[in-house]
Amino acid sequence: MTGAPPVKVLCITGWCRNGSTILGNILNEIPGVFHVGELHFLWKNAAGRGVNEQCGCGHKLVDCPFWSTILPIGRPAGTTPQAHADTVIRRQLGHTRTRHTWQILARGPHNEQVRAQAELMTRIYRAVAERSASPVIVDSSKMPGEAALLARMDGITPYYLHLVRDPRAVAQSWSQPKQYVYAMSAAKSTGYWTGFNLASHAINRRYPRRSLFLRYEDFIAEPAATIDTVLRWCEIDPASNPMTDRTVQLHANHTVTGNPDRFHTGVTVIRPTDDRWRSALPASARRTATALSWPLAQRYGYLGERG
Ligand SMILES: [Zn+2]
């Protein structure tokens, strides 16, 4: 420990297509807040094995002025970037997956591999905070196993934002490939939706005072007020809220990956509704999403009389 103040990591959990990229990019506009995108994929994407090698700034990650200085951190001398990426990916897949969440919550870094991953991530977060001059990092990875490990990292203060979206809207979003993002069936998407949200719940139950639950639909209904709530919760001055009603001015960012909209800059308006799935999602896929997300979706208020 260097005696430096703790780094706050605002960790967005839940399942993909929940609006985490735009929420992170809005927060990224606040001085002292830095959205890293889905940091989980840094090594995989930089090694050219992920779905997208590009940083939000437009450079390849290996050429990005920010990430090119972070990538060598924790890489043993004499190890190639490819071999280091292999090691990190192997640890992620073998020890910090969604199914490992409960074990990590109960036991922390309980073996050598989890300990090594926690040490690497501690160094990475601290370096990101230092080099971006930002005491708050927003990580939209949404990997519950890694999120659970955050609370056991030296010098890191986690804030868990559990962000959920109607599983039928999520299934519709996954039904079509877009740019570098592949498609997924309603059954597969909703299976992940349930698993990731259950694990995110477990984290919130373990760390209730550091956790906030948010529905995507409530965020887009009142975006500026929602950002206010998020800022107060993680003890950031709400006066720094970059939104005016539904509008925010976005600048280039250094997101590792996320929704392809992350490359969008300029004046951005958050639309108030999200009901395209009602006409676009086939009835069979809708039934599948409803069946596989029950009873969680009902608890979140998605399967009421309008469903
Ligand atoms: Zn960049």
Side-chain angles (χ1 to χ4, degrees):
M1 284 296 295
T2 58
V7 176
K8 288 184 187 178
V9 178
L10 198 171
C11 174
I12 303 179
T13 59
W15 170 236
C16 305
R17 310 294 175 94
N18 61 350
S20 61
T21 300
I22 183 63
L23 186 60
N25 281 350
I26 292 169
L27 296 172
N28 190 60
E29 293 299 322
I30 300 170
V33 180
F34 190 83
H35 181 211
V36 290
E38 301 179 19
L39 190 59
H40 166 87
F41 293 103
L42 176 64
W43 296 269
K44 189 174 183 179
N45 285 358
R49 293 184 215 146
V51 292
N52 192 271
E53 296 172 47
Q54 245 183 322
C55 178
C57 70
H59 290 95
K60 286 173 80 170
L61 288 164
V62 287
D63 300 326
C64 160
F66 188 79
W67 292 113
S68 58
T69 72
I70 301 289
L71 277 162
I73 292 170
R75 188 167 80 216
T79 303
T80 65
Q82 294 285 337
H84 181 56
D86 282 339
T87 302
V88 175
I89 294 165
R90 206 164 36 238
R91 285 201 303 248
Q92 291 173 332
L93 294 178
H95 299 274
T96 56
R97 291 178 88 148
T98 307
R99 64 169 179 266
H100 299 119
T101 305
W102 290 265
Q103 191 176 30
I104 292 172
L105 285 174
R107 299 172 61 201
H110 55 91
N111 69 31
E112 203 44 56
Q113 295 298 314
V114 183
R115 244 187 316 277
Q117 190 62 12
E119 280 167 19
L120 172 69
M121 295 311 292
T122 303
R123 292 182 64 185
I124 295 289
Y125 283 122
R126 295 200 70 87
V128 167
E130 194 180 301
R131 291 173 200 191
S132 65
S134 304
V136 183
I137 297 169
V138 180
D139 184 345
S140 47
S141 294
K142 299 176 290 294
M143 295 293 174
E146 294 172 26
L149 195 53
L150 263 180
R152 308 296 189 116
M153 294 182 194
D154 218 9
I156 304 290
T157 304
Y159 288 80
Y160 296 112
L161 178 57
H162 183 188
L163 184 59
V164 301
R165 183 178 174 194
D166 190 316
R168 296 162 297 186
V170 173
Q172 195 271 322
S173 175
W174 274 109
S175 67
Q176 302 290 327
K178 54 177 173 181
Q179 295 185 39
Y180 54 82
V181 184
Y182 53 89
M184 198 184 275
S185 71
K188 197 170 177 184
S189 156
T190 313
Y192 278 123
W193 184 96
T194 299
F196 274 61
N197 282 312
L198 281 173
S200 302
H201 256 307
I203 294 171
N204 287 18
R205 270 199 305 271
R206 175 73 176 74
Y207 301 106
R209 278 179 301 176
R210 290 244 179 269
S211 299
L212 184 69
F213 176 83
L214 177 61
R215 298 191 336 159
Y216 170 73
E217 294 78 6
D218 296 333
F219 160 55
I220 60 172
E222 289 189 276
T226 303
I227 296 292
D228 256 7
T229 302
V230 171
L231 296 179
R232 284 180 212 279
W233 162 65
C234 58
E235 297 167 274
I236 298 172
D237 183 1
S240 59
N241 187 339
M243 296 211 68
T244 305
D245 191 20
R246 304 197 152 273
T247 304
V248 62
Q249 174 88 30
L250 296 177
H251 298 84
N253 56 68
H254 290 293
T255 48
V256 167
T257 192
N259 186 299
D261 290 346
R262 70 195 166 104
F263 298 111
H264 173 79
T265 56
V267 174
T268 303
V269 177
I270 307 298
R271 288 176 305 173
T273 52
D274 171 37
D275 54 4
R276 199 171 19 172
W277 64 271
R278 291 181 189 276
S279 55
L281 188 67
S284 59
R286 185 168 166 157
R287 280 195 298 273
T288 300
T290 300
L292 293 180
S293 63
W294 190 89
L296 266 191
Q298 190 170 43
R299 188 193 299 178
Y300 297 154
Y302 291 132
L303 304 181
E305 68 280 8
R306 290 182 67 223

